[in-house]
Amino acid sequence: MVTQAKYLTGDKEGIEEFINRFDVFLFDCDGKQVVFVTNNSTKSRADYKQKLTSMGIPATVDEVFGSSYSAAIYISRILRLPANKKTVFVLGEAGIETELDSEKVPHIGGTDPSLARLIEKGDYADIASGTSLDPSVGVVLCGLDYHLNYLKLSLAFHYLRHGAVFLATNLDTTLPSSSTLFPGAGACSAPLVAMLGGKQPTSLGKPSQAMMDAVEGKFRFDRQRACMIGDRLDTDIQFGIEGGLGGTLCVLTGVTRGKQDWEDGKTVPTAWVDKLGDLREGA
Amino acid sequence: MVTQAKYLTGDKEGIEEFINRFDVFLFDCDGKQVVFVTNNSTKSRADYKQKLTSMGIPATVDEVFGSSYSAAIYISRILRLPANKKTVFVLGEAGIETELDSEKVPHIGGTDPSLARLIEKGDYADIASGTSLDPSVGVVLCGLDYHLNYLKLSLAFHYLRHGAVFLATNLDTTLPSSSTLFPGAGACSAPLVAMLGGKQPTSLGKPSQAMMDAVEGKFRFDRQRACMIGDRLDTDIQFGIEGGLGGTLCVLTGVTRGKQDWEDGKTVPTAWVDKLGDLREGA
């Protein structure tokens, strides 16, 4: 068990030794198999490829693995839904809808403009009696939802009460943006969790191993020869450790500030660098 | 300590003996001091008086004690806010705004139509830099909010990060309506609780004793001679027991179904009837 993280910035030999231990980098590194693993559910893989390209990082759609795609695969290939319960009620953005479409999973809710309104008097009775509920809904899938409102939460809750499977693209409660934090997918599903007395959805994003299984299923690599690189201990690094990967590398360009964050020994990366570019110095 | 609830329906002598033990009924009964104690924050006391009157129950505004009023009193008379931090950011409805007005507490947010929109690109930077935040906000008050959206949650979270006091009119996660359940005030504050890592707001509604203190402060009764009547064990009956009232009476016309609900011995009412009208038979 790793209890000390190795500091690699400026350590040429250490970097070389570290890089050579792996065939696959789940996130970012040149010359080896790369998979960009993201919990951001608002963007599809195609959106992400475009974003990476605009940042000067060449990537293909197949190298991107997002939590929306992970959820779509889980629903279409793993979850055994009854034939009359195949529809997904989405609490989230277009990224989820695009990936559900790519797996031919029928869905409602999401960005549907007819739901972008206040709840009205008649809605209560229609939801209570079920007349405004689609009987084919078998899953409620929550991601980050900029269109979150009382009506959508009410509908989602009633689908769950009628037995729908409760899934989330990810459970991050906050979303880093503009150097601060905004509500994340885990904040959007929180009202439902509270209404269900604390019952959590099954998460298809990091650090959930459902996502690791899906990544491995697609890329078929040796976990001992794979390294997870990321900036969050509780999602990225935890994801790699729980998945039994050969290594994890923490970069300090995100929310993790340094050694003090893993001093408690709970989630210790194999190694760490100040910034990803530091790996190039030694490679 | 009471460990058995007395069943009063049809028990003439029992009813008489029970009623004679109290001077004050927090909720409903003729001929004695009555206080209608409600957690519904969307209505002001004046709204409630009107509702009761329309139901054939004569009541005055002063007999109604709502969680919005309780919160307004707490903010204006108990909370010692710095002179430059007197404004309340409201995540809730007009009932809260009316009661804050009645106590001359300045407020923003709430039903402000300029916030009834999607978050836009510029909002992130403006919230992060603080240019779209009102520096006089010293409290975030959450109630049931039919206008809940991502923008309002983002603003509320940033006020809290800047040190605002976190209050809630009540923490009920569900709201009974049309014989089923809809999101309650506790569901509306849940995204913020999740983003704050589980930190709960101070509740000014049942069963919080902050509300009991406020009720007693206004009506000045002997707690031993007061009885709480209600249909929910975890709010109404708990409220009376924790407040050291002389008695509690559970009516089965709401969410509580009967004996089986207090069998675990956690929250046992002093007595119970099938419906409130059953008290009249004996009185």
Side-chain angles (χ1 to χ4, degrees):
Chain A
M1 200 186 128
V2 178
T3 51
Q4 281 236 314
K6 193 165 185 182
Y7 181 45
L8 294 179
T9 291
D11 174 2
K12 232 178 130 127
E13 259 179 64
I15 291 170
E16 212 181 312
E17 190 267 330
F18 187 81
I19 290 179
N20 288 335
R21 281 164 57 191
F22 307 109
D23 300 327
V24 179
F25 285 88
L26 301 180
F27 186 38
D28 191 72
C29 202
D30 297 294
K32 309 219 179 191
Q33 168 74 56
V34 168
V35 187
F36 298 92
V37 185
T38 173
N39 269 5
N40 186 332
S41 67
T42 65
K43 289 184 165 61
S44 67
R45 287 168 299 153
D47 295 333
Y48 244 92
K49 173 210 149 37
Q50 209 159 24
K51 185 184 168 179
L52 289 164
T53 305
S54 77
M55 289 163 73
I57 301 166
T60 67
V61 166
D62 278 333
E63 286 169 341
V64 178
F65 208 95
S67 61
S68 287
Y69 181 58
S70 176
I73 285 187
Y74 182 81
I75 293 166
S76 66
R77 307 187 193 180
I78 296 170
L79 212 56
R80 305 217 169 275
L81 295 167
N84 61 344
K85 290 285 179 192
K86 294 281 193 197
T87 303
V88 175
F89 181 82
V90 177
L91 208 69
E93 295 295 320
I96 296 179
E97 296 172 325
T98 304
E99 298 298 9
L100 289 174
D101 287 339
S102 79
E103 288 288 309
K104 299 187 175 54
V105 176
H107 54 87
I108 61 169
T111 60
D112 179 353
S114 76
L115 299 181
R117 61 173 177 85
L118 289 176
I119 196 165
E120 286 160 20
K121 249 189 169 166
D123 288 321
Y124 294 97
D126 289 348
I127 291 173
S129 66
T131 54
S132 63
L133 301 180
D134 181 333
S136 72
V137 168
V139 173
V140 169
L141 173 59
C142 295
L144 178 56
D145 189 357
Y146 296 119
H147 298 77
L148 188 77
N149 66 27
Y150 193 89
L151 176 62
K152 287 169 77 178
L153 286 171
S154 299
L155 290 166
F157 176 67
H158 282 269
Y159 284 121
L160 293 170
R161 283 197 106 191
H162 284 90
V165 179
F166 191 16
L167 301 181
T169 55
N170 59 307
L171 296 177
D172 304 75
T173 54
T174 55
L175 170 81
S177 183
S178 297
S179 309
T180 182
L181 300 172
F182 286 83
C188 296
S189 58
L192 298 174
V193 172
M195 294 179 76
L196 295 170
K199 181 191 153 79
Q200 292 282 341
T202 299
S203 168
L204 283 313
K206 297 173 287 183
S208 164
Q209 292 303 307
M211 192 184 214
M212 184 66 85
D213 293 344
V215 171
E216 192 192 32
K218 177 161 176 174
F219 297 99
R220 306 199 171 279
F221 51 83
D222 175 2
R223 289 200 186 197
Q224 270 305 310
R225 299 280 305 165
C227 176
M228 178 68 204
I229 302 178
D231 65 358
R232 280 184 102 135
L233 294 177
D234 59 349
T235 49
D236 300 323
I237 304 305
Q238 188 62 27
F239 181 62
I241 292 173
E242 272 184 40
L245 298 195
T248 57
L249 179 72
C250 187
V251 292
L252 301 188
T253 40
V255 294
T256 307
R257 300 156 302 168
K259 271 200 275 200
Q260 65 268 36
D261 287 355
W262 57 78
E263 236 172 26
D264 60 6
K266 263 172 60 186
T267 307
V268 183
T270 314
W272 55 294
V273 287
D274 296 338
K275 56 185 195 302
L276 201 57
D278 294 349
L279 282 187
R280 294 230 172 87
E281 292 170 24
Chain B
M1 200 186 129
V2 178
T3 50
Q4 282 235 316
K6 191 163 188 184
Y7 182 46
L8 294 179
T9 292
D11 175 2
K12 230 179 131 126
E13 258 178 67
I15 291 170
E16 210 180 316
E17 188 265 331
F18 187 80
I19 290 179
N20 287 336
R21 279 163 60 191
F22 307 107
D23 300 325
V24 179
F25 285 89
L26 301 181
F27 188 39
D28 191 74
C29 201
D30 296 293
K32 307 219 179 191
Q33 168 74 55
V34 169
V35 187
F36 298 91
V37 185
T38 172
N39 269 5
N40 185 333
S41 67
T42 64
K43 289 185 164 61
S44 66
R45 287 167 299 154
D47 294 334
Y48 245 92
K49 172 210 152 34
Q50 208 159 24
K51 185 184 167 178
L52 289 164
T53 305
S54 77
M55 289 162 73
I57 303 167
T60 67
V61 167
D62 278 333
E63 285 170 341
V64 178
F65 208 95
S67 60
S68 287
Y69 181 58
S70 175
I73 284 186
Y74 182 81
I75 292 166
S76 67
R77 307 186 192 180
I78 295 169
L79 211 55
R80 305 218 168 275
L81 295 168
N84 61 344
K85 291 285 178 191
K86 295 281 191 197
T87 304
V88 175
F89 181 83
V90 177
L91 208 70
E93 294 296 319
I96 296 180
E97 296 172 325
T98 304
E99 297 299 9
L100 289 174
D101 288 340
S102 79
E103 287 288 309
K104 297 186 176 54
V105 176
H107 55 87
I108 60 170
T111 59
D112 179 352
S114 77
L115 298 181
R117 62 172 176 85
L118 290 177
I119 196 166
E120 286 161 20
K121 248 188 169 165
D123 288 320
Y124 294 96
D126 289 348
I127 291 173
S129 66
T131 55
S132 63
L133 301 180
D134 181 333
S136 73
V137 168
V139 172
V140 168
L141 173 59
C142 294
L144 177 56
D145 189 358
Y146 296 119
H147 297 78
L148 188 77
N149 66 27
Y150 193 90
L151 176 62
K152 287 170 77 179
L153 287 171
S154 298
L155 289 166
F157 176 67
H158 281 269
Y159 284 121
L160 293 170
R161 282 197 107 191
H162 284 90
V165 179
F166 191 16
L167 302 181
T169 56
N170 59 307
L171 297 178
D172 304 76
T173 55
T174 54
L175 170 81
S177 184
S178 295
S179 309
T180 181
L181 299 172
F182 286 84
C188 296
S189 59
L192 299 174
V193 172
M195 293 180 77
L196 295 170
K199 182 191 152 78
Q200 291 282 342
T202 298
S203 168
L204 283 313
K206 295 174 286 182
S208 165
Q209 291 304 306
M211 192 183 213
M212 184 66 85
D213 294 342
V215 172
E216 191 192 33
K218 178 161 175 174
F219 297 98
R220 308 202 169 277
F221 51 83
D222 175 1
R223 289 199 186 198
Q224 269 306 311
R225 298 280 305 166
C227 176
M228 177 69 206
I229 302 178
D231 64 359
R232 281 183 102 132
L233 294 177
D234 59 349
T235 50
D236 300 324
I237 304 305
Q238 188 62 25
F239 180 62
I241 292 172
E242 272 184 40
L245 298 194
T248 57
L249 178 72
C250 188
V251 292
L252 301 188
T253 39
V255 294
T256 306
R257 299 156 301 165
K259 269 200 274 199
Q260 64 268 39
D261 287 356
W262 57 78
E263 235 173 26
D264 61 6
K266 264 172 60 188
T267 307
V268 184
T270 313
W272 56 293
V273 286
D274 296 338
K275 56 185 197 299
L276 201 57
D278 294 348
L279 282 187
R280 294 230 174 85
E281 293 172 23

